[in-house]
């Protein structure tokens, strides 16, 4: 399915304008703990970092700039004040400027992909990017919805789970290789488009100190959901959050007869 | 006697080692008879691929890589964003404001955020903090739990015998605060930034830089990133950057790796005793509300440690809104039995009826471990060198019987700042006034008065052990308060005290019940430690063949037992031989291996910045 929109040729000298989404999430190596009141997980004082798939998205945007496919890369994060640190990391990796949509603490826990995609859609109206790259999913909620919802809201084509992004043969579109259940699917998408990054798209660079220091001088703009006219009313209510059931110890059997005997005992085999 | 037994077995080991081809090591342990440098024969597959032990200038894989580093200038660089380093930073900023001078002060901290590598009890003596920030309360320092009760126990296998805690004894805690030191340090970091200090977490200082003639320190270089596990450059390779500074303050905590290097280079331990250490474990427990006694401090000694092994425990009940308690255990690293596992001693200790009573119904939510210094004044190195100085635990200022060092660390940071400020002003290379200022301060007075308590444990050749130490404290120290004219020695380094396995009995530790006691790996998971797997292990060996040939064959691989994170494992190969496997990803940066390795073959260097444990208010 190829959706064609009248847009400038990609070989145009200015290059694509890319908007990259970054989310601040609990670091993947942290041992997560459920809150005693079972309303969520403990986040206070816990190490956070940029969502790994978003790091890959940022890296892809920076590489496209280095290859002269893109002219400007802008990072955006929807989150609490500390999301600024996440944006600074993106700036240190090579992004040109950043936008922080600050969410007040009270509404943070109830923020869902539907809200984020609406906020991003509003920002796209004013920023007018040619390409939006998001991580395919966040490692805290594992929703895998924002990219798809955003494309639908904007009525743009989407290429999710991208493992490769390159210009199409006629350079008028993007050729995206997607990782799907059956293997790899290659599609051509017209810009503007939404692409979500998968694990094998690239290996992100490190944000090194000289670049972190330079990033302090790059522009970081702040916005509020009210300014963007998006209502953050939750559409879902979390009833409870619980630990996964404790894995029971297995039992070793010595022979096939033993195994069948045990299966019979448990009524799993007649 | 134990001493002669040690020296004869050591002589035998040196003789055996001399027969094998070895690289010359600093301690001269593994030299050939002629002391010549010899080509290391690959006696076992290569374990150490780190660039500090493999010269990249001679490595063909690095032929086309640009190794130039960007350089930046600062007036003062502080390595380590802990209580000592941040106090130094804040004091420097305060001095600049007072005296109208301007300085660029940079703090480099290897943890991903300030406070994430802090591991401490902690029962804080606020002395150091009050001097630095008299208005600490208005500034919101997280000291929420004043000590309300204080007890000391002697544990036997079944009983807990209360011992009297008289005012004036080091373990008396009136006026102190129970804190989550990681949070206090995070707050200190914010104060430093508000005073104009540049604080860079996620950056590890990897190398000391010297002036052209090599005589003075001129700065540090941060770690390179993007080196693969086999030592080759990855696409993401980037060189670290250099900071050139007028003065370098090393505040790496106990047994810092740059401190180790500087102490050797400038021979800062000449005429002083080597440092001695303990390993400290700590767990954070959410207690059952009915067992929670906010503000209560308990210390103790005894079971399960035998009287010949130094150590003790603490239980501190926090009062920060939820029934949290810090439960900790220290084992002196001068223990002699290579079969001893400090981690398992700690886990076993929690089963003592007296301790189990406090913890039953509770849930463990945190775990961590760190080496701590026990040498006191006898082991203080010379504190300054051309171009910088050592502060805090990196020099070794813990008051061992009081189990407190943070107040001394903060004071030493402040005093170093004053000396550094003066040295920069007058153009002096060495901040020489720092050492004298420390000797005239309450830090030295306090450390001097308790100097004989820890080594009194070794009285009568260690035969009385803990009883000897306690007897000395009660009978002598309580009256002399350190004014006795003698100073006991620690009797050598911790690693020298380990006996060969054949002379010791293996220890049988009970299995964890997963309610009070836990296994090592699930404990390590709680530290949230992580390292990029595709990098050279930062636990480097001077000689890859030594673990198999000495550590394992003579000492039964004690590193498998003293590492609190399961980094060291001897795995069996197809041919039946055993090979050391280093699981560098588990490392929690405690430095115990570098301290206790009997062959001193392990050299801990910093991994990439931002890695290691992610402690939350420990």
């Amino acid at each position: 399915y190829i959706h064609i929109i009248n847009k400038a040729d990609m070989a145009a000298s200015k290059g694509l304008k890319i908007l990259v989404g970054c989310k601040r999430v609990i670091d993947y190596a942290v041992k997560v703990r459920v809150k005693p009141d079972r309303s969520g997980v403990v986040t206070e004082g816990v190490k956070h970092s940029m969502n790994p798939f978003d790091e890959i998205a940022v890296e892809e945007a920076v590489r496209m700039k280095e290859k002269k496919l893109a002219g400007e890369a802008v990072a955006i994060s929807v989150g609490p004040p500390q999301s600024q640190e996440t944006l600074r990391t993106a700036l240190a990796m090579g992004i040109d400027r950043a936008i922080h949509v600050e969410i007040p603490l009270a509404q943070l826990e109830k923020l869902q992909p539907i809200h984020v995609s609406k906020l991003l859609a509003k920002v796209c109206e004013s920023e007018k990017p040619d390409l939006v790259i998001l991580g395919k999913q966040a490692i805290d909620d594992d929703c895998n919805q924002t990219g798809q919802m955003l494309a639908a809201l904007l009525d743009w084509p989407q290429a999710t789970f991208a493992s490769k992004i390159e210009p199409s043969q006629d350079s008028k579109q993007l050729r995206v290789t997607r990782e799907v259940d059956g293997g790899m699917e290659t599609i051509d998408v017209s810009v503007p488009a939404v692409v979500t990054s998968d694990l094998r798209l690239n290996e992100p660079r490190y944000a090194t100190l000289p670049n972190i220091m330079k990033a302090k001088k790059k522009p970081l703009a702040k916005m509020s959901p009210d300014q963007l006219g998006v209502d953050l009313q939750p559409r879902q209510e979390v009833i409870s959050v619980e630990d996964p059931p404790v894995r029971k110890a297995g039992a070793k059997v010595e022979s096939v007869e033993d195994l069948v005997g045990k299966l019979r005992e448990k009524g799993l085999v007649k | 006697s134990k001493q002669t037994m040690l020296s004869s077995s050591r002589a035998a080991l040196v003789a055996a080692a001399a027969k094998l081809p070895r690289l010359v090591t600093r301690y001269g342990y593994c030299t050939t008879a002629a002391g010549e440098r010899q080509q290391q024969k690959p006696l076992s597959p290569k374990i150490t691929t780190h660039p500090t032990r493999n010269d990249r200038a001679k490595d063909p894989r690095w032929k086309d890589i640009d190794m130039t580093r960007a350089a930046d200038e600062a007036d003062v660089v502080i390595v380590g964003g802990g209580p000592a380093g941040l106090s130094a930073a804040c004091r420097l900023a305060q001095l600049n404001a007072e005296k109208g001078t301007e300085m660029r002060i940079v703090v480099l901290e290897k943890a991903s955020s300030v406070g994430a590598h802090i591991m401490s009890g902690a029962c804080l003596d606020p002395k150091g903090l009050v001097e630095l920030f008299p208005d600490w309360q208005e500034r919101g320092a997280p000291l929420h739990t004043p000590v309300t009760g204080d007890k000391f126990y002697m544990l036997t296998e079944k009983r807990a015998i209360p011992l009297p805690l008289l005012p004036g004894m080091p373990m008396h805690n009136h006026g102190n605060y129970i804190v989550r030191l990681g949070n206090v340090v995070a707050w200190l970091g914010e104060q430093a930034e508000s005073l104009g200090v540049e604080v860079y977490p996620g950056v590890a200082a990897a190398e000391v830089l010297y002036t052209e003639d090599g005589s003075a320190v001129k700065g540090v270089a941060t770690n390179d990133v993007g080196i693969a596990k086999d030592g080759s450059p990855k696409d993401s390779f980037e060189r670290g950057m250099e900071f050139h500074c007028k003065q370098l303050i090393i505040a790496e905590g106990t047994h810092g790796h740059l401190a180790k290097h500087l102490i050797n280079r400038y021979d800062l331990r000449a005429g002083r005793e080597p440092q001695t250490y303990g390993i400290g474990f700590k767990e954070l427990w959410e207690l059952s509300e009915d067992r929670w006694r906010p503000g209560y401090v308990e210390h103790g000694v005894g079971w399960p440690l035998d009287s010949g092994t130094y150590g003790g425990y603490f239980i501190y009940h926090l009062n920060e809104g939820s029934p949290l308690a810090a439960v900790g255990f220290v084992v002196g690293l001068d223990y002699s039995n290579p079969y001893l596992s400090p981690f398992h001693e700690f886990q076993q200790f929690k089963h003592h009826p007296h301790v189990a009573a406090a913890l039953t119904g509770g849930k463990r939510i945190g775990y961590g471990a760190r080496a701590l210094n026990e040498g006191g004044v006898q082991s203080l190195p010379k504190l300054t060198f051309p171009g910088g100085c050592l502060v805090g635990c990196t020099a070794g200022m813990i008051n061992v019987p009081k189990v407190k060092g943070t107040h001394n660390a903060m004071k030493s940071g402040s005093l170093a700042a004053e000396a550094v400020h003066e040295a920069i002003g007058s153009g002096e290379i060495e901040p020489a006034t720092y050492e004298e200022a420390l000797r005239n301060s309450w830090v030295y007075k306090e450390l001097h008065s308790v100097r004989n308590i820890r080594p009194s444990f070794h009285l009568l050749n260690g035969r009385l052990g803990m009883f000897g130490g306690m007897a000395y404290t009660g009978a002598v120290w309580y009256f002399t308060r350190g004014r006795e004219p003698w100073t006991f020695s620690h009797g050598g380094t911790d690693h020298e005290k380990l006996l060969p396995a054949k002379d010791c009995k293996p220890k049988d530790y009970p299995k964890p019940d997963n309610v009070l006691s836990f296994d090592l790996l699930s404990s390590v998971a709680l530290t949230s430690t992580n390292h990029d797997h595709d990098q050279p292990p930062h636990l480097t060996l001077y000689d890859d063949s030594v673990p198999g040939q000495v550590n394992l064959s003579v000492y039964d691989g004690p590193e498998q037992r003293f590492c609190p994170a399961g980094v060291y494992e001897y795995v069996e190969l197809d041919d039946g031989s055993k090979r050391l496997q280093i699981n560098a990803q588990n490392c929690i940066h405690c430095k115990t291996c570098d301290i206790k390795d009997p062959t001193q073959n392990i050299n801990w260097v910093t991994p990439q910045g931002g890695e290691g444990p992610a402690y939350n208010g420990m």
Side-chain angles (χ1 to χ4, degrees), chain A residues 175-196:
Chain A
R175 178 155 290 184
V176 181
T177 307
R178 305 177 56 226
E179 301 213 11
V180 296
D181 288 342
M184 315 276 255
E185 179 191 60
T186 307
I187 58 173
D188 282 351
V189 265
S190 308
V191 289
V194 175
V195 172
T196 70

Side-chain angles (χ1 to χ4, degrees), chain B residues 575-595:
Chain B
D575 63 0
S577 68
K578 283 200 172 168
R579 178 181 185 273
L580 178 66
Q581 179 175 287
I582 299 183
N583 306 314
Q585 275 186 280
N586 288 13
C587 181
I588 57 177
H589 299 204
C590 79
K591 316 296 173 63
T592 300
C593 56
D594 195 309
I595 293 165

Side-chain angles (χ1 to χ4, degrees), chain B residues 147-480:
Chain B
V147 173
T148 56
D150 207 348
K151 282 232 159 65
F152 194 91
Y153 285 92
M154 164 85 183
L155 300 183
T156 64
E157 195 177 335
K158 296 270 174 9
R159 294 166 59 212
I161 306 163
L163 296 180
L165 261 184
L166 305 163
M169 291 205 115
M171 307 77 168
H172 195 250
N173 278 293
H174 183 71
N176 296 332
Y177 289 83
I178 303 172
V179 298
R180 296 176 70 170
L181 193 61
N183 293 342
V184 177
V185 168
W187 170 86
L188 264 177
E190 288 167 16
Q191 305 313 301
E193 285 191 301
S194 70
L195 289 170
V197 174
E198 289 172 62
V199 182
Y200 296 115
V203 178
E207 196 186 320
V208 179
L209 303 170
Y210 296 92
T211 50
E212 279 284 328
D213 63 358
S215 63
V217 167
K218 81 166 184 204
V220 285
T222 63
N223 61 281
D224 293 348
V225 292
I227 305 176
K229 207 177 163 103
D230 64 4
S232 62
K234 294 197 279 197
D235 287 332
S236 51
F237 174 74
E238 258 187 76
R239 201 76 167 110
M241 68 176 280
E242 298 186 2
F243 274 102
H244 299 170
C245 56
K246 299 185 183 127
Q247 290 290 322
L248 180 67
I249 300 180
I250 300 289
E252 294 174 299
T254 297
H255 205 76
H257 79 112
L258 293 184
K260 177 181 175 184
H261 160 86
L262 285 162
I263 286 171
N264 284 324
R265 187 179 173 109
Y266 287 105
D267 203 14
L268 299 177
R269 293 207 190 278
R272 300 139 203 262
E273 295 208 26
Q275 187 60 261
T276 62
Y277 303 88
I279 177 173
F281 294 87
K282 171 181 162 179
E283 288 179 352
L284 211 53
W285 278 72
E286 224 162 47
L287 299 177
S288 166
E289 284 242 19
D290 54 329
R291 292 163 206 256
W292 178 44
R293 302 159 63 181
Y296 173 59
V297 162
E298 185 176 308
H299 290 104
V301 296
W303 191 86
L305 296 175
D306 60 60
S307 73
T309 304
Y310 184 84
Y313 75 89
F314 64 81
I315 304 180
Y316 302 146
H317 292 235
L318 288 151
N319 190 5
E320 298 190 358
S322 62
L324 283 182
V327 181
F329 202 74
V330 175
V331 178
L333 283 177
D334 56 349
Y335 68 83
S336 54
N337 186 348
Y339 290 109
L340 191 139
S341 166
F343 171 80
H344 287 99
E345 300 282 336
F346 172 41
Q347 296 302 319
Q348 197 179 7
F349 143 80
K350 285 181 284 166
H351 282 284
H352 189 282
H354 173 80
V355 182
L359 298 181
T360 301
K363 183 164 179 248
R364 179 178 80 154
I365 61 170
Y367 163 85
R370 182 75 169 86
L372 41 91
N373 53 87
E374 295 190 343
V377 285
Q378 294 94 320
S379 303
L380 272 177
K382 177 168 181 282
L383 297 171
T384 62
F385 47 85
C389 57
L390 309 172
V391 295
C393 280
T394 243
M397 300 180 190
I398 291 184
N399 177 332
V400 179
K402 210 163 138 174
V403 207
K404 283 177 189 39
T406 308
H407 60 306
N408 291 338
M410 292 181 75
K411 180 66 173 174
S412 74
S414 296
L415 293 174
E418 285 162 15
V420 158
H421 190 269
E422 204 186 300
I424 293 181
S426 62
E428 286 289 314
I429 297 214
E430 195 159 334
T433 55
Y434 165 44
E435 186 136 7
E436 199 189 314
L438 193 78
R439 277 181 194 271
N440 292 332
S441 70
W442 47 258
V443 172
Y444 195 81
K445 208 156 143 236
E446 189 184 307
L447 291 177
H448 187 261
S449 85
V450 297
R451 73 194 180 284
N452 283 324
I453 296 184
R454 172 65 174 96
S456 69
F457 182 78
H458 294 296
L459 275 175
L460 298 179
N461 232 351
R463 257 176 252 147
L464 289 178
M466 189 52 81
F467 296 108
M470 296 204 308
Y472 184 84
T473 309
V476 182
W477 185 87
Y478 192 63
F479 302 101
T480 61

Side-chain angles (χ1 to χ4, degrees), chain B residues 597-613:
Chain B
D597 180 11
T599 51
Q600 289 291 283
N601 192 36
I602 298 173
N603 191 42
W604 189 101
V605 298
T606 183
Q608 289 174 168
E611 298 184 341

Side-chain angles (χ1 to χ4, degrees), chain B residues 50-117:
Chain B
H50 200 273
T52 51
R53 305 237 50 85
N54 296 281
D55 193 354
R56 285 175 289 187
K58 304 199 180 93
D59 189 333
R61 300 172 299 183
W62 289 86
K63 205 165 42 94
D64 301 316
I65 305 289
D66 182 8
M67 298 296 271
T68 51
R69 281 192 285 226
D72 205 350
E73 306 252 332
D75 293 281
V76 183
V77 170
I78 301 170
V79 176
L86 291 172
S87 296
C90 290
R91 187 82 195 103
L92 267 171
Q94 287 172 345
L95 284 167
N96 284 324
E98 274 169 46
K99 311 210 177 197
T101 46
E102 266 191 47
M103 277 184 200
R104 183 179 181 201
I105 310 162
V106 169
V107 175
L108 302 176
E109 166 54 50
K110 65 171 161 56
S112 55
S113 64
V114 175
H117 283 185

